[in-house]
Amino acid sequence: MRIAVTGSIATDHLMTFPGRFGEQLLADKLDKVSVSFLVDGLEIRRGGVAANIAFGLGCLGLRPLLVGSVGSDFSDYRAWLEEHGVDTSELRESQTLHTARFVCTTDADLNQIASFYPGAMNEDAYLDLAALAGDVDLVLIGAGNPAAMIRLTGQCRARQIPFANDTSQQLATFDGDQIRDLVAGAAYLFCNDYEASLIEHKTGWSDAELTAQVGVRVTTLGSAGARVDRPGQEPVLVGPVKDVSPADPTGAGDAFRAGFLAAVAWGLSLERAAQLGNLVAVHALETTGPQEYRLDPPGLISRCALSYGQAAADELAVHLS
């Protein structure tokens, strides 16, 4: 099963300021702010929804196709993804814009001042999936340029390419009609429980009506695990992974999607898919940075046995080994 992944591709530039922003900002001068903070830490992390998901799939032994727009500054990031099993041959390189970038400074009180530069992601509207028809089995429409998400969904329908919907962070951008257009007919719908409620609120669909719009509806429940629904069938409820030591939640949802889709690609049940999704998500959760975790097959299998039983571990072991 070949999976193409679309959505944001970006780098995060994260800095720490040892003082407090509030002590440097004057209430009566906020209309003329001119201030610089001397930071004592900088971390550059590879990120972006599409890149994070593709990274996870690659680490699990698949060869996902990453589709999106990047800048000429992407060479090191490209090499990293290729080293981890991601096919970057369909990336569109902008001639004028840099790769999308998130720049954030956090102070001692965990207040943040941040900027997001979409850069080359603005050119995702020019992407064309026509050449992928018959070459990929599934396209994941991840959060990215809103216009591109709508356009790519339409291309999938027109070319009869099965697609998964994962609006996540961009859900607030769309109105009810746009969400209906993005979701209806999706082979898979990924969201957390809050996003599911927001979709129902904006579209006017009930819980059952939303489930009826898609082939498989996957809802992540945080520390409670995950739920998988299909029209007319009993839900599949999967509990959380045991003995978790959280470090950074960034990218955990993307890691879940990678694990889930890898199990689907292997032909495993939806229960096993949700279990593997939880296991990969925990690896991201326990590591600082969305692409800094490592998946050690023996450790992953052992952890699966602890949380979900030996039968589940044995099934995953066939593919993880």
Side-chain angles (χ1 to χ4, degrees), residues 8-12 45-48 51 74 77 99-102 116:
S8 62
I9 304 168
T11 56
D12 297 340
R45 300 178 189 165
R46 307 169 188 88
F74 193 70
Y77 196 167
T99 305
R101 188 167 302 166
F102 176 67
F116 182 76

Side-chain angles (χ1 to χ4, degrees), residues 55-316:
F55 171 84
L57 286 167
C59 288
L60 288 165
L62 280 76
R63 180 69 171 164
L65 179 65
L66 181 60
V67 180
S69 301
V70 299
S72 59
D73 57 336
F74 193 70
S75 58
D76 288 346
Y77 196 167
R78 183 192 296 270
W80 165 267
L81 291 171
E82 287 284 351
E83 289 171 7
H84 290 83
V86 179
D87 183 349
T88 64
S89 61
E90 286 295 324
L91 289 179
R92 181 184 187 278
E93 186 171 307
S94 173
Q95 300 302 306
T96 58
L97 300 173
H98 289 290
T99 305
R101 188 167 302 166
F102 176 67
V103 181
C104 179
T105 302
T106 304
D107 75 358
D109 292 328
L110 301 183
N111 295 308
Q112 294 183 322
I113 296 177
S115 300
F116 182 76
Y117 165 72
M121 193 174 77
N122 284 332
E123 297 184 2
D124 279 358
Y126 303 123
L127 296 174
D128 190 349
L129 301 179
L132 301 184
D135 190 42
V136 298
D137 301 290
L138 181 74
V139 174
L140 186 141
I141 309 295
N145 179 286
M149 294 171 68
I150 292 173
R151 186 169 182 267
L152 293 174
T153 300
Q155 289 179 12
C156 286
R157 289 198 182 96
R159 301 287 177 176
Q160 296 185 321
I161 305 173
F163 68 94
N165 175 275
D166 181 19
T167 51
S168 55
Q169 296 100 322
Q170 291 291 21
L171 188 57
T173 304
F174 299 112
D175 61 28
D177 288 337
Q178 291 172 320
I179 295 171
R180 291 187 197 95
D181 186 58
L182 287 166
V183 169
Y188 298 90
L189 170 64
F190 291 98
C191 54
N192 60 35
D193 51 348
Y194 177 81
E195 291 162 352
S197 296
L198 186 57
I199 290 173
E200 292 170 16
H201 173 75
K202 284 195 167 189
T203 61
W205 287 331
S206 66
D207 180 85
E209 288 171 336
L210 175 56
T211 300
Q213 296 293 324
V214 300
V216 177
R217 175 181 170 185
V218 185
T219 309
T220 55
L221 306 172
S223 60
R227 171 179 173 139
V228 183
D229 291 279
R230 287 170 292 175
Q233 299 190 38
E234 289 296 312
V236 176
L237 298 173
V238 173
V241 176
K242 297 179 179 179
D243 301 330
V244 179
S245 300
D248 177 9
T250 307
D254 300 330
F256 175 91
R257 286 146 176 77
F260 188 96
L261 290 175
V264 168
W266 296 336
L268 299 182
S269 68
L270 294 176
E271 179 183 24
R272 295 288 180 261
Q275 290 168 345
L276 183 58
N278 284 345
L279 287 162
V280 180
V282 162
H283 279 74
L285 180 64
E286 294 180 332
T287 308
T288 299
Q291 294 181 32
E292 303 304 320
Y293 63 89
R294 295 185 180 183
L295 297 177
D296 170 57
L300 195 60
I301 294 166
S302 175
R303 201 163 192 180
C304 179
L306 175 65
S307 297
Y308 301 120
Q310 192 59 49
D314 289 343
E315 283 191 50
L316 294 183

